[in-house]
Amino acid sequence: MSAHTSHADPPPAAPRPEPAGPQRSAPRTRRAFVPGRPAVWLLLGTFLQLLAVGGRWDVPLAAWLFQTFLLRFLRTTRPWAGIPLVIVVLGGAGLFWAWQLAVPFRPLTIVGVLGLGVVSAVPYALDRLLAPRLGRLGRLLLFPSALATLAFLLGTYNLFGTAYGLLAVTQHDNLALLQVISFTGPYAITFLMGAVATAANHLWEHGRTRQDLSWYRVGPAVTVASAVAVVLVGGQAVLAFAPAATAPTVRIAGINPSAAVLDKADRMLGTAPTDLEAVAGLDPAKVRAAADAINQQLLDDTRQAARAGARIVMWSENSARVRSADEPAFLSRAGALAREEGIYLNVAANVYLPEAPYGRDQTVLFGPDGKVLWTYQKHHPIPGLEDYEAGTGPVPVVDTPYGRLSNVICFDADFPDLMHVDADIMLVPGGDWPEMGRIHTRMAGLRAMENGYALVRSDFNGSSQAFDHQGRVLSQQDTTSGDNPPWISDVPTRGTTTVYRVIGDVFAYLCAAVTLAASAFAVRRPRAATPLPQDGNPA
């Protein structure tokens, strides 16, 4: 080595040239959701919605899934394009419900069902338009709270009550799940299903990879799943450790007019006995003779049921037919029969009136002494199908040796608020058609669980069923054949007091408060910095 060799550090190496070609762009911020196919979510949501309308072909799991896909569709679509399509889906589901249950397509029913579809889209619109302005908790609670609030408002103030749109109806065989309605009313089931939808969407948007599975992302799904599990386990515990009441039972019979007798009355009248306006214009003697043919069969079957041990006998809705002028004599005969057999007899009659509304849908309960204990007139005639004048006043309750008896008529049982009655046994005379009858009786069974009484629905041309206060079916009879012997069921004489019957719709009011508070907060707040993912579309 030369003495002149330098020991200084070598000069830094020259920077390596960048490879030829376009410059590398700055890394993009990771999207919260991988772009999907909104049309697929819409189709899935539509298909599943058709299987969760409270009809003959319901699939219980579909009621837990369809909202998830409809929300996914809306959250990945421009709102003013997506919301009208969801309205179409929900309106179409209502028409599908009416078609499969053979609901007559009259102007009022069509407008009513389509109107329900439009209104049912409100929770979806709130989620799409307002949820991006809320924090995580608000995004998770707004939709289920709005869904439950809407179900409550429709069930209380809508002319159709809960006949359509109450999601709890789709879960009729899951008694463990349904026990919660004895605390909260049926709207808690709606809330849980809505919460599943928002929690699933939150996980869908944020939980794609293992690195994403932080508590922030999976917490809502875990919380909702835990809540559903608590409800199911708690309900199963109620069924297992608080079984049906061991109180004595009473034998209750349901009576229907036979198809043969109705056909005979048709021939005598020259028109259907249910055509009230036509009957009003007929010769009174002819009407009286046709009504007597029907009523005599009912009285004979009542005597047969009493001698088979029935202590309470109820007739299905509008079983008897009687002119208003002949009503006193008819009721005298019925009271005498109750006295002779020592039974409680709940007579259900269509009373022909000489002028509009041409009919009165009522029940009259006779005690074992033959005296009248109540006269009840149907509070909720079916809009567009029944022209009866609506009854008023409280639902009747009568103390008997067999517990406190109460009574509503058919469609009345689709209004939960009307059914808050301190009773042990609720009698529900029904009158349906085959497609509707089986479903309608299941709907009425929810009222038994909500209020803690046994419920007996004697249904013409449908399905008669007796439920205990936990929703168990005690007895049933298919009445679509039109020629049924008296249906007899042994029913517990003591009910129980439920939380829901005492506090009413507190849960629904809480949901309404959350909906209003979240909506007001969202309207006043600027749009969130990180909007809900839109599958590449601007929010």
Side-chain angles (χ1 to χ4, degrees), residues 26-287:
R28 298 178 64 185
T29 304
R30 181 180 58 80
R31 293 180 60 83
F33 174 69
V34 175
R37 301 179 184 275
V40 174
W41 314 141
L42 180 64
L43 290 174
L44 280 172
T46 300
F47 174 71
L48 293 169
Q49 161 75 107
L50 297 180
L51 299 177
V53 294
R56 292 187 289 159
W57 305 315
D58 282 353
V59 176
L61 183 60
W64 293 88
L65 297 178
F66 80 87
Q67 296 163 107
T68 298
F69 291 108
L70 290 182
L71 280 188
R72 183 93 306 267
F73 164 72
L74 270 181
R75 289 186 178 192
T76 56
T77 309
R78 294 180 185 274
W80 305 118
I83 292 173
L85 288 175
V86 170
I87 291 175
V88 170
V89 168
L90 297 175
L95 293 176
F96 179 70
W97 168 84
W99 172 77
Q100 66 169 289
L101 295 183
V103 176
F105 278 85
R106 296 179 180 175
L108 183 57
T109 55
I110 294 174
V111 171
V113 169
L114 290 176
L116 289 176
V118 173
V119 173
S120 297
V122 170
Y124 296 89
L126 290 177
D127 179 85
R128 181 61 183 88
L129 298 174
L130 300 184
R133 300 172 181 269
L134 298 171
R136 180 177 59 159
L137 184 61
R139 293 182 183 185
L140 293 170
L141 290 181
L142 177 59
F143 177 73
S145 297
L147 204 65
T149 301
L150 180 65
F152 163 67
L153 292 175
L154 292 180
T156 305
Y157 303 107
N158 163 43
L159 293 177
F160 294 92
T162 59
Y164 173 71
L166 185 65
L167 291 174
V169 172
T170 66
Q171 310 298 302
H172 58 85
D173 288 331
N174 192 343
L175 292 185
L177 172 70
L178 291 176
Q179 296 309 302
V180 72
I181 70 178
S182 66
F183 295 88
T184 61
Y187 313 112
I189 305 298
T190 302
F191 179 89
L192 285 175
M193 291 179 177
V196 167
T198 54
N201 271 277
H202 181 86
L203 185 61
W204 201 336
E205 293 160 5
H206 298 289
R208 292 183 297 109
T209 67
R210 181 174 301 176
Q211 289 76 13
D212 288 330
L213 298 181
S214 65
W215 180 252
Y216 173 83
R217 293 174 173 85
V218 305
V222 171
T223 301
V224 171
S226 299
V228 174
V230 167
V231 169
L232 287 170
V233 172
Q236 194 60 55
V238 168
L239 294 172
F241 301 111
T246 58
T249 60
V250 60
R251 183 157 291 183
I252 299 178
I255 306 294
N256 281 318
S258 71
V261 168
L262 291 176
D263 288 342
K264 179 180 177 180
D266 285 357
R267 292 192 299 270
M268 296 172 69
L269 291 174
T271 185
T274 53
D275 189 343
L276 304 180
E277 187 172 1
V279 170
L282 297 178
D283 176 37
K286 181 186 291 188
V287 176

Side-chain angles (χ1 to χ4, degrees), residues 334-395:
L337 177 60
R339 183 174 61 253
E340 291 166 10
E341 299 298 334
I343 60 173
Y344 289 88
L345 174 57
N346 195 35
V347 168
N350 185 343
V351 180
Y352 295 130
L353 303 176
E355 55 188 22
Y358 300 111
R360 186 170 66 242
D361 191 348
Q362 72 176 33
T363 59
V364 179
L365 178 69
F366 295 95
D369 58 1
K371 294 182 179 179
V372 173
L373 299 178
W374 72 50
T375 298
Y376 176 81
Q377 193 170 332
K378 190 174 187 177
H379 279 47
H380 294 281
I382 301 174
L385 299 181
E386 296 178 336
D387 296 326
Y388 304 113
E389 182 180 355
T392 58
V395 172

Side-chain angles (χ1 to χ4, degrees), residues 297-352:
Q297 179 240 306
L298 298 169
L299 294 169
D300 291 344
D301 281 0
T302 296
R303 192 180 301 275
Q304 176 186 340
R307 294 182 180 181
R311 297 298 88 199
I312 301 171
V313 179
M314 60 183 297
W315 297 358
S316 60
E317 182 184 18
N318 286 333
S319 285
R321 313 294 162 84
V322 59
R323 294 174 63 248
S324 57
D326 300 326
E327 186 180 9
F330 165 71
L331 294 179
S332 179
R333 292 176 64 194
L337 177 60
R339 183 174 61 253
E340 291 166 10
E341 299 298 334
I343 60 173
Y344 289 88
L345 174 57
N346 195 35
V347 168
N350 185 343
V351 180
Y352 295 130

